[in-house]
Amino acid sequence: LAKTTQPISMDSYEGQEVNITCSHNNIATNDYITWYQQFPSQGPRFIIQGYKTKVTNEVASLFIPADRKSSTLSLPRVSLSDTAVYYCLVVEGGADGLTFGKGTHLIIQP
Amino acid sequence: EAQVTQNPRYLITVTGKKLTVTCSQNMNHEYMSWYRQDPGLGLRQIYYSMNVEVTDKGDVPEGYKVSRKEKRNFPLILESPSPNQTSLYFCASRLAGSETQYFGPGTRLLVL
């Protein structure tokens, strides 16, 4: 299972773009990169998943370089409600469970 | 609305008193899992089920039981709860072939 490393915490302001980088040096060929968001006392919520290059949905973008040893979650124009813990996971295709690390605690200020 | 529901949301009990936390999903997902979340330890998988009548242990199964008699339900049973099972519990489900899991709202359990 590829280990992930991401910052413990980040601060930003409303309206800014926030980029959270995750490193996963030991990622395997059939692993996907997945990001979840968790608000206090709620279950994690899937945000985005990618294998390589760039993926964009209505919530975020995910940038993955060619070597796949890192990835960057980009949140455009954040608001106070984006304050949450963001988890980067490397998931083996078809895996039965998810291993969550400590995540990045993102705090958005007015 | 597609969702995973858990009951109860909060529970205080005493050591040794059997309890069941229910989990139900309305998305016809094959896979269901139970996790516990503790400060500093992240989410750890307790048990998972790949389909009806098929269950297997996760990373921390000791002290827990599960059953999967119907596709939509996956109850977590603590036969003799102990204080070290005080935690926040999440149920999750996903479609076979998808890596995206959908989590329930959580059950906060306190064992005295």
Side-chain angles (χ1 to χ4, degrees):
Chain A
L1 209 63
K3 182 179 152 93
T4 59
T5 303
Q6 54 183 123
I8 297 289
S9 65
M10 292 180 68
D11 291 331
S12 189
Y13 295 90
E14 283 192 291
Q16 299 294 305
E17 178 185 80
V18 171
N19 296 310
I20 306 174
T21 297
C22 177
S23 66
H24 25 79
N25 291 317
N26 297 323
I27 191 168
T29 304
N30 60 343
D31 289 344
Y32 288 80
I33 298 149
T34 307
W35 286 79
Y36 281 77
Q37 174 194 56
Q38 187 177 26
F39 298 113
S41 296
Q42 292 188 27
R45 184 177 75 108
F46 170 85
I47 302 176
I48 197 165
Q49 178 175 270
Y51 185 79
K52 61 181 178 181
T53 64
K54 177 184 173 184
V55 180
T56 297
N57 62 23
E58 64 278 3
V59 176
S61 294
L62 179 60
F63 298 91
I64 305 168
D67 66 5
R68 304 200 328 125
K69 292 185 185 300
S70 68
S71 58
T72 299
L73 175 73
S74 181
L75 304 172
R77 299 176 61 80
V78 293
S79 64
L80 295 176
S81 62
D82 291 315
T83 293
V85 179
Y86 291 82
Y87 297 96
C88 165
L89 291 82
V90 170
V91 183
E92 182 182 347
D96 296 307
L98 303 175
T99 299
F100 286 75
K102 292 183 168 54
T104 296
H105 190 188
L106 175 65
I107 299 171
I108 306 301
Q109 301 182 50
Chain B
E1 180 192 349
Q3 60 182 349
V4 178
T5 56
Q6 297 177 225
N7 282 293
R9 295 289 314 280
Y10 304 92
L11 180 59
I12 302 174
T13 189
V14 295
T15 298
K17 186 176 180 183
K18 181 179 177 179
L19 67 92
T20 299
V21 183
T22 65
C23 172
S24 183
Q25 51 93 6
N26 62 1
M27 296 171 278
N28 204 35
H29 286 172
E30 290 82 9
Y31 280 74
M32 296 186 75
S33 301
W34 275 102
Y35 296 84
R36 59 178 289 175
Q37 185 172 35
D38 303 289
L41 295 175
L43 267 94
R44 295 177 292 169
Q45 191 180 44
I46 303 171
Y47 267 96
Y48 63 93
S49 168
M50 292 166 282
N51 215 321
V52 175
E53 302 291 2
V54 182
T55 63
D56 207 347
K57 296 177 181 178
D59 298 320
V60 288
E62 292 75 25
Y64 304 94
K65 282 175 59 175
V66 292
S67 70
R68 187 94 182 271
K69 293 184 169 51
E70 306 162 284
K71 197 171 187 179
R72 63 182 292 129
N73 297 322
F74 190 44
L76 179 69
I77 303 154
L78 284 71
E79 295 269 4
S80 183
S82 62
N84 65 11
Q85 292 178 297
T86 291
S87 187
L88 179 58
Y89 291 87
F90 290 104
C91 180
S93 72
R94 68 177 175 90
L95 267 173
S98 169
E99 282 75 37
T100 304
Q101 293 212 24
Y102 296 83
F103 285 80
T107 295
R108 192 169 290 279
L109 172 65
L110 172 61
V111 183
L112 300 172

